[in-house]
Amino acid sequence: MMKKIILITGGNRGIGLEICRQLCLAGHQVILGSRRFENGKKAVKSLGLSMDVQQLEVTNKADISQVAKYIETTYGHLDVLINNAGILVGEAGVLEPDFDVVTNTLNVNFYGAWKTSLGMLPLLKKSSDGRIINMSSSMGSLNEMGNNKTGHAGYRISKTALNALTILLSNELQGAIKVNTMSPGWVKTDMGGAGADRSLAEGADTAVWLATAEVIPNGKFVKDRAIVEW
Ligand SMILES: NC(=O)c1ccc[n+]([C@@H]2O[C@H](COP(=O)([O-])OP(=O)(O)OC[C@H]3O[C@@H](n4cnc5c(N)ncnc54)[C@H](OP(=O)(O)O)[C@@H]3O)[C@@H](O)[C@H]2O)c1
C-alpha cells in the first residue's frame, strides 16, 4: 500500500474525525485540519492515534497559506485534500432568508472549499495521484430539489455550488488531479442529529474509498461508492 499524505478539513468532530480515524488506522499520514487547534488536539488524544494537527479555519486565507507552507516543508507534497468542513445553521427557505446566515454558509461550505483547494493545488500537483474530495450533500442535488423541496436555502445552494465547482475544477485540471463531490447520506453527528439513519463509519466510507481506492471516477457526484446523477 502506498502511504498517502491526506489533509481533512473540519477533522475535529463528526464525519471528518471518523475519516481521519479510518485513514490513520489504514496507515496513511493524516493531517487533521481544525478550526480551533486545541479542539483538534483534544480529538486526536481521544482517539489515542498519531496524527498531525493543523489550525485551519477554511475562510481564513492566512491559515490556508500557513498549512500549505507547513505541508510543503514537512512532506513536500499532498496526495489528497478532503474538503469536509461545513455548517448548517437552522435556515428558512428562499422567501424569508437571513442573508447573514446564507452568506456565512456560502463562505464556509463553498468559498472555503474553493479557497482551500486553490491553496493546496501546487502541493497536490506534486503528487503522482492527487485527489480532491468535496463533502457535499443530497440536499445540493438539483434532482432532489426538483422534488418539491424547500427550506435550508443557503445550505442547499452552497452544496449545489460545490458540485458545480467540482466539475469545473476537474475540467480545468484535466485529470492531473481527480476531483469528486460526494454525499455521505444522513449521518448521526451534531449536524445530522440523533435521528439520522447512518453511523459515523457509514458516513465516512465513501470519502475513505475516494481517497484510497486505486481506480476512482473524476468530476462526479458519488454516493455509496457509486456515481449518481444530481
Ligand atoms: N451529518 C449529515 O447527515 C450530513 C449529510 C450530508 C452532508 N454532510 C456534510 O458533511 C460534512 C461534515 O458534517 P458533520 O455532520 O460531520 O458536521 P459537524 O458534526 O457539525 O462537524 C462540522 C465540522 O466542520 C467544522 N467547521 C465548521 N466551520 C468551519 C470553518 N469555518 N473552518 C473549518 N472547519 C469548520 C467544524 O469545526 P468546529 O468544531 O470548530 O465547529 C466541525 O469539525 C459537512 O460538510 C456537511 O455539510 C453531513
Side-chain angles (χ1 to χ4, degrees):
M1 181 207 73
M2 183 183 120
K3 179 175 175 172
K4 298 191 182 211
I5 314 294
I6 307 177
L7 171 65
I8 298 102
T9 69
N12 59 291
R13 62 186 167 101
I15 298 169
L17 182 59
E18 175 62 14
I19 295 170
C20 290
R21 190 185 74 83
Q22 290 189 22
L23 289 171
C24 183
L25 286 173
H28 299 287
Q29 176 60 59
V30 169
I31 304 160
L32 183 155
S34 182
R35 188 163 64 96
R36 296 195 196 288
F37 181 73
E38 318 76 59
N39 292 348
K41 277 283 180 202
K42 263 188 226 155
V44 169
K45 199 169 173 200
S46 75
L47 294 180
L49 294 171
S50 165
M51 293 175 203
D52 215 339
V53 177
Q54 287 292 300
Q55 173 164 316
L56 180 50
E57 153 67 65
V58 298
T59 62
N60 184 326
K61 213 173 149 192
D63 275 7
I64 295 171
S65 333
Q66 182 54 42
V67 172
K69 244 184 237 152
Y70 172 80
I71 294 173
E72 166 88 71
T73 312
T74 313
Y75 303 108
H77 75 282
L78 182 67
D79 294 303
V80 186
L81 165 66
I82 306 182
N83 286 310
N84 165 78
I87 54 169
L88 189 165
V89 181
E91 275 186 64
V94 284
L95 296 181
E96 55 287 313
D98 176 336
F99 278 117
D100 289 339
V101 170
V102 172
T103 303
N104 196 27
T105 302
L106 282 162
N107 275 338
V108 177
N109 297 4
F110 173 54
Y111 291 111
W114 191 350
K115 289 173 185 175
T116 307
S117 297
L118 293 186
M120 300 304 149
L121 218 49
L123 293 163
L124 288 162
K125 282 183 175 164
K126 290 186 181 175
S127 167
S128 57
D129 187 13
R131 302 176 181 194
I132 296 175
I133 301 159
N134 292 324
M135 188 61 76
S136 186
S137 164
S138 301
M139 288 172 74
S141 153
L142 296 174
N143 286 341
E144 192 194 280
M145 256 179 252
N147 203 13
N148 211 16
K149 287 288 192 294
T150 55
H152 298 297
Y155 183 81
R156 287 182 192 282
I157 291 166
S158 73
K159 295 298 190 181
T160 310
L162 186 60
N163 292 350
L165 173 70
T166 301
I167 295 178
L168 294 173
L169 263 179
S170 104
N171 289 350
E172 298 231 18
L173 292 166
Q174 299 194 328
I177 293 165
K178 295 195 176 78
V179 192
N180 289 290
T181 185
M182 61 159 284
S183 162
W186 186 25
V187 186
K188 287 184 213 307
T189 62
D190 293 339
M191 183 187 291
D197 57 11
R198 289 195 171 189
S199 66
L200 282 174
E202 289 168 320
D205 177 74
T206 291
V208 170
W209 179 76
L210 283 170
T212 57
E214 231 164 86
V215 180
I216 58 162
N218 188 16
K220 301 297 181 193
F221 185 96
V222 181
K223 185 174 184 184
D224 296 333
R225 302 187 179 199
I227 295 169
V228 289
E229 293 307 316
W230 64 276

